[in-house]
Amino acid sequence: MTEHELKTLLSTVTPPDETARAAAHAHWAALAKPLGGLGLLETMVEDAAALTGTETPALTRRAVLVLCADNGVVAQGVSQTDASVTRAVLQNLAARRTSVCRMAAAAHCTVVPVDMGIAGAPVPGAVNCRIAPGTADFTLGPAMTRTQVVQAIAHGIELVRAQKRAPAGIQMLATGEMGIGNTTTSSAVASVLLNQPVQAMTGRGAGLSDAGLRRKLAAIERGIAVNHPDAADPLGVLAALGGFDIAGLCGVFLGGALENLPIVMDGFISGVAALCAVRLCPAAGKAVFASHASSEPAARLVLDALDKKPLITADLHLGEGTGAVASLPLWDMALAVYNGCYSFAEGGITPYTPQC
């Protein structure tokens, strides 16, 4: 896929179906309960109705895509572990032994580990979307070429399409990632796209010391100074400072918009990917659904930029898609009420009406 072909494809993204949204809102209002009593659980179902074009969205068949990649900036000491841990976690994802795997089993969600580009041989059991064996160190020049960014985005779009047309017919996707150093790449990309100071966008990731945090901040500042990314060019920002995982997740959100499939954000890193998607195609925001507010410092800023409200505030910052998967039972409960609660008419109760 070329940049021109990507731009042409994204021009086909349609707006949400407001008729379906209004029908879903009316359905909630007819149920025998206080109007809007389930808060965000109601509006998210309405948003899903608008996205899918049906008053009664079916979202029981779901998977979590966990995109894994190595990041060259790790060479600058921005993490407490080296890049070999990315591979170790991907192997355990493939063996269904990680945190998100256990949570997904409880939430009736399939785990799909994806190799977007890690060092070493392919990992058996991981979907092979390898661009290269990790990105370059962005303190020395661009992390990727623009061609590689477009390739990663194309892989993300195709992952959505493959899940939708698979025998299981996936109806909803959660997003996850694993890549040592990817809070550094995410903070760098977010700092440029949101025009915020690096310090405001950067946290300790997986538990950096004070010295490690100083190295992380310095690496991001150096990467921005070396590459001169332009916030008006999201592909260029990704190429300069991003990772294969972020670019691939950007494609997942764009694929959700193209296929009218709900895509659930995890935390800060997938939020930055969603931000890239919306900057490339504003209409893609219809497919983005928030799950939680990560404890990473910039997570709330990204959610605000996307105009998305989290369902969960629990200081989560594990990654792998754990926050996105944690929100899935809330979808189940919301839809259980939406599809099964008795109405005012069925209960012989005078319907509530808005008083303000």
Side-chain angles (χ1 to χ4, degrees):
M1 183 182 292
T2 65
E3 282 191 44
H4 177 72
E5 289 169 338
L6 175 61
K7 183 176 180 180
T8 301
L9 178 62
L10 296 182
S11 70
T12 67
V13 174
T14 58
D17 185 334
E18 297 303 332
T19 300
R21 187 196 306 277
H25 184 76
H27 181 84
W28 276 122
L31 299 181
K33 60 172 189 58
L35 296 175
L38 289 178
L40 293 177
L41 302 190
E42 296 193 22
T43 54
M44 75 183 188
V45 173
E46 293 170 13
D47 289 342
L51 172 65
T52 59
T54 175
E55 177 187 344
T56 54
L59 304 172
T60 56
R61 299 193 299 272
R62 59 269 185 119
V64 55
L65 300 173
V66 188
L67 276 57
C68 304
D70 280 325
N71 297 285
V73 73
V74 169
Q76 300 301 317
V78 299
S79 175
Q80 64 173 302
T81 58
D82 63 28
S84 67
V85 175
T86 304
R87 182 177 188 83
V89 174
L90 178 54
Q91 289 171 330
N92 281 283
L93 280 163
R96 304 300 187 270
R97 297 194 299 193
T98 73
S99 300
V100 77
C101 296
R102 306 321 317 147
M103 293 173 71
H108 310 291
C109 176
T110 302
V111 177
V112 182
V114 181
D115 179 357
M116 293 298 300
I118 68 168
V123 172
V127 178
N128 190 345
C129 293
R130 294 163 68 94
I131 310 295
T135 56
D137 180 351
F138 68 48
T139 67
L140 306 176
M144 300 173 267
T145 66
R146 293 179 74 95
T147 298
Q148 287 176 321
V149 174
V150 172
Q151 185 181 357
I153 289 173
H155 277 312
I157 292 171
E158 180 52 33
L159 284 167
V160 175
R161 289 174 166 168
Q163 289 297 311
K164 186 176 180 180
R165 66 174 179 253
I170 293 299
Q171 299 162 321
M172 169 183 261
L173 286 167
T175 54
E177 41 59 40
M178 171 58 204
I180 299 302
N182 64 5
T183 59
T184 301
T185 54
S186 299
S187 293
V189 170
S191 179
V192 173
L193 290 181
L194 297 180
N195 191 30
Q196 291 287 328
V198 170
Q199 290 82 357
M201 306 303 290
T202 308
R204 296 179 184 271
L208 279 178
S209 64
D210 289 345
L213 180 60
R214 287 193 294 270
R215 290 193 298 271
K216 185 176 183 178
L217 290 165
I220 295 171
E221 289 169 345
R222 196 155 62 248
I224 292 172
V226 165
N227 291 290
H228 305 291
D230 178 2
D233 176 19
L235 286 179
V237 176
L238 277 170
L241 303 169
F244 296 139
D245 49 354
I246 300 172
L249 286 171
C250 172
V252 170
F253 288 108
L254 293 172
L258 287 161
E259 297 295 327
N260 296 318
L261 198 78
I263 309 294
V264 182
M265 290 168 46
D266 186 26
F268 176 54
I269 296 163
S270 70
V272 171
L275 182 62
C276 292
V278 170
R279 290 294 177 90
L280 284 169
C281 175
K286 68 175 184 176
V288 178
F289 291 81
S291 60
H292 75 107
S294 165
S295 61
E296 277 290 307
R300 285 281 185 178
L301 291 173
V302 172
L303 284 165
D304 289 346
L306 290 165
D307 194 25
K308 302 295 178 180
K309 295 180 180 179
L311 301 177
I312 300 169
T313 302
D315 286 341
L316 305 179
H317 53 273
L318 191 153
E320 294 184 20
T322 47
V325 170
S327 74
L328 297 181
L330 292 174
W331 281 89
D332 291 338
M333 288 184 276
L335 289 167
V337 175
Y338 185 79
N339 293 320
C341 182
Y342 74 106
S343 68
F344 286 112
E346 290 168 336
I349 303 169
T350 301
Y352 291 169
T353 56
Q355 299 294 307
C356 58

